[in-house]
Amino acid sequence: MEYNHSPISVREGHVFLDGVEIMDSIKCNIKMTPDTWSGRQLGEITPSTRWLGYSITGTITRRRNTMWLKEKIKYYQETHETPEMTIQGIMEDKQSDFYKQFGSEVITAVGVVLTGDLTLLDLDSEGQVLEDNIAFSAKDFI
């Protein structure tokens, strides 16, 4: 294309949980948040800031059609061991300018532990489709 720009469409991608594609995936985000220190010396008007580490968090939104979440909960109930997993996201909009220059973007979160509320049952008289919003933290990313 000579005249039109093609920004990334976030519709084009895949999400994998422990190597298995989540076919009912709706949204996935993985974020890195730096832990920072800020301070100043005498006479400085603005502080200096530096990174001291980071945390990795994210959310998967999916339409429920398997029992994997309850299986993770049951595993914890039976063993008292924290279920740990790997989540991989691939952004792959082949029509975008980004893809043409850099190709697919792949982020793999390792040492993933589910956090927040894990819905066991959700009923609604309006008859909406069941979607799980699953928050997680990760030890690191590749």
Side-chain angles (χ1 to χ4, degrees):
M1 266 190 233
E2 186 176 343
Y3 300 104
N4 293 301
H5 295 283
S6 296
I8 298 169
S9 169
V10 295
R11 290 181 179 182
E12 303 299 326
H14 308 275
V15 178
F16 295 85
L17 178 66
D18 288 336
V20 177
E21 186 168 9
I22 303 173
M23 299 305 292
D24 56 348
S25 183
I26 301 169
K27 295 180 187 178
C28 177
N29 68 52
I30 302 172
K31 298 178 182 182
M32 183 272 231
T33 305
D35 293 329
T36 60
W37 168 88
S38 294
R40 65 181 101 207
Q41 296 177 355
L42 293 174
E44 287 186 314
I45 296 173
T46 60
S48 295
T49 302
R50 64 178 280 197
W51 287 6
L52 299 176
Y54 57 90
S55 61
I56 300 161
T57 59
T59 306
I60 293 176
T61 303
R62 62 189 306 254
R63 293 192 178 101
R64 188 184 303 173
N65 69 6
T66 66
M67 295 292 285
W68 80 270
L69 187 56
K70 288 186 182 172
E71 289 167 2
K72 294 291 182 188
I73 293 168
K74 187 165 250 350
Y75 172 82
Y76 177 75
Q77 285 179 310
E78 292 171 357
T79 67
H80 298 284
E81 293 179 16
T82 301
E84 191 175 294
M85 56 202 80
T86 299
I87 295 175
Q88 182 178 65
I90 301 173
M91 184 173 58
E92 192 172 53
D93 179 9
K94 294 179 181 176
Q95 299 300 311
S96 71
D97 297 331
F98 181 94
Y99 184 88
K100 289 173 185 159
Q101 186 169 357
F102 303 107
S104 297
E105 185 172 9
V106 179
I107 299 293
T108 305
V110 295
V112 172
V113 174
L114 303 179
T115 60
D117 294 332
L118 303 175
T119 302
L120 297 172
L121 181 67
D122 196 359
L123 299 172
D124 185 347
S125 66
E126 299 296 320
Q128 300 299 316
V129 173
L130 181 59
E131 295 178 0
D132 287 321
N133 293 303
I134 304 162
F136 61 86
S137 64
K139 183 65 176 169
D140 210 347
F141 70 96
I142 302 167

